[in-house]
Amino acid sequence: MNLEVLAEDYFEAFSHKDVDTLALMFHEDVTLRDWEISAEGIDDVLSANGKIFDSVESIQVTPSALYSDSNTVVAELDILVNGKEKLLVVDVIEFENDLIKSVRAYKG
Protein backbone atom coordinates (compact mmCIF):
# COMPACT_ATOMS: atom_id res chain seq x y z
CA MET A 1 0.00 0.00 0.00
CA ASN A 2 1.06 3.62 -0.49
CA LEU A 3 2.87 4.68 2.69
CA GLU A 4 1.79 8.31 2.35
CA VAL A 5 -1.85 7.18 2.40
CA LEU A 6 -1.13 5.07 5.49
CA ALA A 7 0.50 8.10 7.14
CA GLU A 8 -2.55 10.25 6.31
CA ASP A 9 -4.79 7.53 7.81
CA TYR A 10 -2.62 7.62 10.95
CA PHE A 11 -3.01 11.41 11.26
CA GLU A 12 -6.77 11.06 10.78
CA ALA A 13 -7.05 8.43 13.52
CA PHE A 14 -4.83 10.54 15.79
CA SER A 15 -7.01 13.61 15.17
CA HIS A 16 -10.07 11.59 16.18
CA LYS A 17 -8.26 10.25 19.27
CA ASP A 18 -9.10 6.78 17.95
CA VAL A 19 -6.91 4.42 19.97
CA ASP A 20 -8.64 1.33 18.54
CA THR A 21 -7.72 2.27 14.97
CA LEU A 22 -4.19 3.20 16.02
CA ALA A 23 -3.82 -0.26 17.59
CA LEU A 24 -4.54 -1.79 14.19
CA MET A 25 -1.97 0.46 12.51
CA PHE A 26 0.95 -0.19 14.89
CA HIS A 27 3.51 -2.98 14.68
CA GLU A 28 3.71 -4.91 17.97
CA ASP A 29 7.26 -3.57 18.48
CA VAL A 30 6.38 0.05 17.64
CA THR A 31 8.39 2.86 19.25
CA LEU A 32 7.40 6.46 19.88
CA ARG A 33 9.66 9.37 20.69
CA ASP A 34 8.91 13.07 20.82
CA TRP A 35 10.09 16.06 22.82
CA GLU A 36 8.31 14.78 25.98
CA ILE A 37 7.61 11.05 25.52
CA SER A 38 9.51 7.87 24.83
CA ALA A 39 7.61 4.57 24.60
CA GLU A 40 8.40 1.09 23.30
CA GLY A 41 5.98 -1.69 22.40
CA ILE A 42 2.39 -1.41 21.30
CA ASP A 43 0.89 -1.30 24.80
CA ASP A 44 3.20 1.49 25.99
CA VAL A 45 2.76 3.49 22.77
CA LEU A 46 -1.03 3.19 22.93
CA SER A 47 -0.92 4.23 26.58
CA ALA A 48 1.25 7.25 25.71
CA ASN A 49 -1.19 8.22 22.97
CA GLY A 50 -4.10 7.82 25.40
CA LYS A 51 -2.39 10.19 27.85
CA ILE A 52 -1.97 12.77 25.07
CA PHE A 53 -5.63 12.42 24.12
CA ASP A 54 -6.76 12.71 27.76
CA SER A 55 -4.72 15.89 28.22
CA VAL A 56 -6.45 17.83 25.42
CA GLU A 57 -10.03 18.61 24.52
CA SER A 58 -9.24 18.38 20.81
CA ILE A 59 -6.28 17.82 18.54
CA GLN A 60 -6.25 18.29 14.77
CA VAL A 61 -3.27 17.06 12.76
CA THR A 62 -2.96 18.46 9.24
CA PRO A 63 -0.05 17.46 7.01
CA SER A 64 1.28 20.39 4.96
CA ALA A 65 3.82 18.21 3.13
CA LEU A 66 4.66 14.51 2.90
CA TYR A 67 7.89 12.96 1.66
CA SER A 68 8.44 9.23 1.30
CA ASP A 69 11.35 6.97 0.49
CA SER A 70 11.52 3.21 0.84
CA ASN A 71 9.82 2.41 4.19
CA THR A 72 9.79 5.93 5.64
CA VAL A 73 7.44 8.91 5.48
CA VAL A 74 8.48 12.37 6.67
CA ALA A 75 5.55 14.67 7.34
CA GLU A 76 5.49 18.39 8.01
CA LEU A 77 2.50 18.92 10.27
CA ASP A 78 0.33 21.73 11.55
CA ILE A 79 -1.20 20.59 14.82
CA LEU A 80 -4.03 22.58 16.37
CA VAL A 81 -4.57 21.81 20.06
CA ASN A 82 -7.87 22.74 21.71
CA GLY A 83 -8.78 24.87 18.71
CA LYS A 84 -6.21 27.55 19.50
CA GLU A 85 -2.63 26.42 20.18
CA LYS A 86 -0.75 25.75 16.93
CA LEU A 87 2.30 23.50 16.87
CA LEU A 88 4.65 22.95 13.95
CA VAL A 89 5.93 19.38 14.03
CA VAL A 90 7.87 17.04 11.78
CA ASP A 91 7.09 13.33 12.09
CA VAL A 92 9.41 10.63 10.79
CA ILE A 93 7.36 7.45 10.46
CA GLU A 94 8.95 4.10 9.63
CA PHE A 95 6.83 1.20 8.38
CA GLU A 96 7.28 -2.55 8.34
CA ASN A 97 4.79 -4.64 6.34
CA ASP A 98 2.39 -1.66 6.13
CA LEU A 99 2.40 -1.26 9.92
CA ILE A 100 3.92 1.67 11.79
CA LYS A 101 7.19 0.50 13.33
CA SER A 102 8.34 3.85 14.73
CA VAL A 103 7.25 7.46 15.09
CA ARG A 104 9.76 10.18 15.90
CA ALA A 105 8.27 13.66 16.29
CA TYR A 106 10.22 16.92 16.35
CA LYS A 107 8.69 20.21 17.42
CA GLY A 108 9.73 23.51 15.99
Side-chain angles (χ1 to χ4, degrees):
M1 178 172 256
N2 181 314
L3 296 185
E4 290 183 15
V5 171
L6 290 175
E8 288 174 338
D9 291 346
Y10 165 70
F11 301 133
E12 182 76 16
F14 196 93
S15 293
H16 286 101
K17 303 198 255 186
D18 187 346
V19 175
D20 293 333
T21 298
L22 292 176
L24 298 173
M25 302 181 83
F26 289 152
H27 188 281
E28 66 181 37
D29 296 324
V30 65
T31 60
L32 169 67
R33 186 181 73 218
D34 71 12
W35 54 98
E36 295 178 347
I37 298 169
S38 181
E40 294 183 20
I42 193 166
D43 292 334
D44 286 347
V45 170
L46 289 171
S47 176
N49 279 273
K51 289 176 186 174
I52 292 168
F53 300 153
D54 289 344
S55 73
V56 298
E57 186 175 313
S58 67
I59 189 162
Q60 182 63 46
V61 180
T62 305
S64 58
L66 295 172
Y67 311 93
S68 61
D69 184 39
S70 186
N71 68 335
T72 304
V73 172
V74 177
E76 295 181 51
L77 306 171
D78 295 318
I79 301 178
L80 189 61
V81 178
N82 297 329
K84 51 188 158 183
E85 180 186 358
K86 185 175 180 179
L87 301 174
L88 299 177
V89 175
V90 173
D91 273 6
V92 179
I93 305 171
E94 292 182 41
F95 292 86
E96 184 176 302
N97 300 322
D98 292 339
L99 295 173
I100 296 172
K101 179 78 175 193
S102 75
V103 178
R104 294 182 309 277
Y106 303 93
K107 184 170 111 175

